[in-house]
Structure formats: C-alpha cells, structure tokens
Amino acid sequence: MEHERFLRSGKKLSRQSKTVYTNGTELSNGFHGYKKDNEKLEKTEVAWYRKIFDQNVVPLFLILVTPQVGILFWYTLKQCGGSYTELGVMFSEKSFFPGVYEIWSRTLHWPKDGLCFYILIGYSAWALFLMALLPGEKVEGPITPKGNIPIYIDNGFKHYVVTMVSLAGLTVVLKQYGMSPSVVYDRFDEILLILNVFSLIFCAFLYFKGLHAPSSTDCGTSGNPLFDYYWGTELYPRIFMFDVKVFTNCRFGMTVWGLLVAIFALKSYELHGFVDSMFVSAFLQLAYITKFFWWEAGYMRTIDIMLDRAGYYICWGCLVFIPSFYASVSLYLVAKPVNLGTTTSLLICLCGLTSIYINYIADWQKQRVRQTNGECLIWGKKPNILRAKYMLESGQERESILLASGWWGMSRHFHYIPEILLAFCWSLPALSENIMPYTYVIFLIILLTHRSFRDDTKCGLKYGKFWAEYCRKVPHKIIPYLF
C-alpha cells in the first residue's frame, strides 16, 4: 500500500499491561493513556459527569467559540483601534450574542469575487507541489503506541526558503502592474472566513477518513462523534503521498505565519515608509520561523505530533488560529506604527536573537546526546543521562535517553523560557498603548505551562519509575528553583 512507503510498522507481539524482569525492573506499557490499567480506572473511577464535560461540553464549546477568535482580533484592530476596552464597550452595549451577530452580519464581508479563493487554493497547491518535488533526507519520527514509525522527507527548510524568495519575486512582478501582495491585508477578513469554513469541512473529512480508510493502525474511535471530530480519529493520517500534519502544521500554519508577517510589513512600508518597530518585530518573528524550519525534523518528535490526533483541535488551530493569531502583532503594527529609535531597536533585536540561540542550543543538546548515544560532551562534561525503558502496546521493549545536563539539567522544559522571552521581544515594539499586541505572549505562557503538565503526564505513563527518577534529578518543570 502507498502509505507503507512512509509508515513502518513494528513487529506485533502479545499485548500485556506491564512486564517485570528478573532484575526487578518494571516497565510501563506504552504511553498516552493506552494502558489497560487506565482503561479500567476510566470505567470505574471517572464520574459520568466528568466524561460528559470532557468529551461533550468542552469540545462543543471550543468548536463554537474558537472560530470567533481570529475574527475578533481582526475586528478589534479594524473597528476598535486595537483596544480591547472599546471591544468590551461594544459587547456591553449590545450583549455578547447580538455583538457577535453584528460582527458577522454587518462588518465581515464574504468574498465578492474569487481573488481570496484563488490566493488560498494557489498557495495550497504550491505547498503540496514543493512537498512532493523538493529533495530531502528521510527521517523517522518517534515510534507510536501501536509500533509504527512515521517517516518524513526533511525538506521543510528548502520549502520555506523557496516560498519566501518566491514571495519577494512575486512582489516585484506585481508592482510592475500596479498590484501588491498586500491585498491580503486589505481583505484579511475574507481570508479568515474562507479558512474557517474550509477547516470545518476538512476536519469532517479527516473524521470519516479515520473511520473508513485509516492510514495506519494508530487510529480509532471513542464512540462519541463529537469528541472524535474534535480530537481526531487518526494519529498520522496521509492523503495519497502527503502527510496531513506536515501540511497543516508546517507547510500551511508555520509558513503562512511567515508569509503574513512579510506581507504585513510590506503593507506598513506602503503606508508609512520604513518603521523600525515593524522591522524589529518582523525580523524576530521571521528569524524564529527560519529556525523552526531548520529544525523541522526535531519538531516531528514533539508532543504536538506524538500525542495530538489530526482533528479539529490541531488542524483548525494550524489552518486558522496560527494565521489569525500568531501574526497579530504585525497586523497591529500596520495600523499602529511606533518609532523606537536605533538603540532601543538594537537592544530588542539582541535580546530576541539571544533567546533564539538558547532555544536552538537546548534542542541541539538533546539531539546530540541521542545521536551519539550519550558519548559526547555537554558544557564540557560528559552528560548526565538516564536510560529509560518502556514497552509498546505490542509488548516490544524500547529505550530512550533522558538528558539531565546542560539546559535540560536546569529544568525539564527550560527551552520554554527563551521561547516566551522571544515572543515578548517581538511584541515589545508595539509599546504600551494597548494590550492587544501582548495577547500572544499571554496565550503562550498559558499554553506552555499547560503543555508542561501534559508532557509530564505522557512521560509518566510512558516511562513509569524511570520518569519518577528523572524528576528527582531535574525537579523543576520550567523555571529553575521556582516552578
């Protein structure tokens, strides 16, 4: 089958909840809550109302509310001058639901022509074309609970560079005919509407695909259609030769973020000329995105890919939330230009670049230790490592290296600190007139804090007593000596 070229299956052995070896070592069976012990616990100890809340109320609430988020950002900037206070006044005068109706019915505009459709379809076709065309090394993702190993073509950085250079070339060509890519800014509300509608339909397609034509054995249903639509029915779905998560997360979400930053900066230049605040913010965002694609193969081993199925939660987020929210600082600075001065601009850039460097080195340390099986130096010393054994659902024994040296000896998720600091640096050029430019930083702090708990839970299930020992070696989650 076609997907077997990209997904290698592990040997199936007898399934058991745990194994006790002659030396007394007890291995946890798999991860992500797949243990039979947990299934029994779920049946006996989890209250029925908690299940209803987690699998019905929360998914329904998020599916109904989240499509409003990107629209509200756009509306806050366009109609409220970037002020949440004015947005609150509007809702207090009309109440929430009439206020939302006002935005959707009278402020937003469904595309009057096909331009925005052509832009989105054209870019998607371009991204898929480059995914198939550009060469790259084959890299393996982490083994799944079912024993499958996803295989990727590592051509993300080439895709990103080619796409950004092509945008620059397209800008030069369009300018010759009195046009500009900045039309995306002018009609951003139309693009958000199209993306919302498409994403809802696409997630429904993924739901049915997982039920009737899964790409691997890492699939299944909870029996609750609402929850399955929200969470997804497949861990690694592929359509023809294309990996869905690679497309939604990287080729669309992250790449479109970079494209929007560049387009919004272009719009700012067309309106105001060179503005240092826009330059600093755009420079740091693009530097971070460039680093992301340079390290894309490592991203394929993160919790977003390993744990989250391809459903509304992650696919809508990458197709709509990232374009509408992650580039919100640049969107804001088009309408609210700020002059920082040379010294302030340089200091912010220096702080931001230092954050990117620390984040990159932290990821590199972990990769280096695993590539050399611990036979390397971290900060001039042999690394302190823990060889953690675990089992797949099939009963296969596996081993991972947990690093407790370098940046990873300071806290289990120290790399979140420079990531948060960097986001603050590219938001800071907006200064303090409104809180809107800092919304992403606030969101990131909440997201990464929550993710640290999710990751600890996942690793606890996966590694069992080995993870408990690792937590004793590295007791702090994110901030050394505090949290």
Side-chain angles (χ1 to χ4, degrees), residues 91-214:
F91 278 118
S92 65
E93 292 175 349
K94 299 178 179 296
S95 77
F96 181 76
F97 291 107
V100 170
Y101 177 78
E102 174 83 12
I103 293 172
W104 280 85
S105 64
R106 299 186 182 181
T107 308
L108 291 172
H109 303 94
W110 186 253
K112 299 176 182 179
D113 53 39
L115 178 60
C116 292
F117 288 99
Y118 297 146
I119 290 172
L120 292 172
I121 293 172
Y123 172 72
S124 298
W126 167 265
L128 292 171
F129 173 73
L130 291 185
M131 280 181 69
L133 177 68
L134 293 176
E137 179 184 355
K138 285 188 177 181
V139 296
E140 293 185 349
I143 190 167
T144 71
K146 298 289 186 180
N148 299 310
I149 301 177
I151 300 175
Y152 308 98
I153 303 299
D154 187 15
N155 59 8
F157 184 73
K158 295 173 184 176
H159 171 274
Y160 172 71
V161 171
V162 170
T163 299
M164 298 304 290
V165 171
S166 297
L167 174 65
L170 179 64
T171 302
V172 172
V173 172
L174 291 178
K175 288 288 188 180
Q176 304 302 314
Y177 297 93
M179 297 182 288
S180 171
S182 61
V183 69
V184 170
Y185 173 86
D186 300 327
R187 303 177 67 168
F188 196 50
D189 58 328
E190 299 177 21
I191 289 176
L192 291 179
L193 280 172
I194 296 171
L195 287 176
N196 266 304
V197 172
F198 169 77
S199 298
L200 292 171
I201 297 172
F202 182 65
C203 292
F205 167 78
L206 291 178
Y207 164 75
F208 286 107
K209 178 190 177 302
L211 294 180
H212 303 291

Side-chain angles (χ1 to χ4, degrees), residues 307-471:
L307 180 60
D308 298 333
R309 289 187 173 189
Y312 180 89
Y313 174 79
I314 190 169
C315 291
W316 178 91
C318 292
L319 294 173
V320 184
F321 190 62
I322 289 180
S324 64
F325 184 55
Y326 282 40
S328 59
V329 177
S330 296
L331 181 71
Y332 176 89
L333 286 172
V334 174
K336 297 283 186 176
V338 177
N339 292 314
L340 298 174
T342 303
T343 302
T344 303
S345 297
L346 289 175
L347 287 174
I348 295 175
C349 283
L350 179 61
C351 181
L353 290 175
T354 301
S355 300
I356 293 175
Y357 175 77
I358 294 174
N359 184 268
Y360 174 78
I361 289 299
D363 290 329
W364 177 85
Q365 286 179 347
K366 181 180 286 187
Q367 287 185 344
R368 179 64 176 166
V369 167
R370 288 177 175 173
Q371 288 170 355
T372 62
N373 196 31
E375 298 301 322
C376 62
L377 298 179
I378 299 296
W379 288 357
K381 299 178 181 179
K382 188 170 183 178
N384 182 8
I385 63 175
L386 178 66
R387 298 185 183 276
K389 296 180 180 180
Y390 64 96
M391 283 199 324
L392 303 179
E393 283 191 358
S394 61
Q396 288 177 281
E397 179 184 339
R398 295 281 175 167
E399 181 180 276
S400 289
I401 292 178
L402 304 179
L403 176 62
S405 292
W407 296 113
W408 301 96
M410 302 184 70
S411 66
R412 300 194 292 276
H413 305 282
F414 181 84
H415 59 312
Y416 290 169
I417 297 176
E419 191 165 342
I420 292 170
L421 181 59
L422 172 62
F424 177 76
C425 287
W426 74 53
S427 303
L428 188 59
L431 299 183
S432 57
E433 180 180 352
N434 291 301
I435 197 174
M436 179 184 172
Y438 299 92
T439 308
Y440 174 75
V441 181
I442 297 169
F443 161 78
L444 189 65
I445 291 172
I446 297 171
L447 173 71
L448 295 182
T449 301
H450 176 254
R451 183 174 294 180
S452 70
F453 284 97
R454 286 182 67 203
D455 192 57
D456 278 4
T457 300
K458 173 185 75 72
C459 291
L461 291 171
K462 180 178 180 180
Y463 299 120
K465 62 182 294 185
F466 296 102
W467 183 251
E469 182 180 348
Y470 180 72
C471 290

Side-chain angles (χ1 to χ4, degrees), residues 10 29 62 160 283 327 343:
N29 177 17
L62 292 176
Y160 172 71
F283 171 73
T343 302

Side-chain angles (χ1 to χ4, degrees), residues 288-305:
Y288 172 78
I289 296 168
T290 302
K291 174 258 176 188
F292 170 88
F293 281 104
W294 182 260
W295 176 76
E296 187 189 64
Y299 172 70
M300 294 301 140
R301 305 184 70 86
T302 64
I303 194 171
D304 289 348
I305 304 299

Side-chain angles (χ1 to χ4, degrees), residues 63 130 247 254 388:
I63 291 171
L130 291 185
F247 175 78
M254 292 300 295

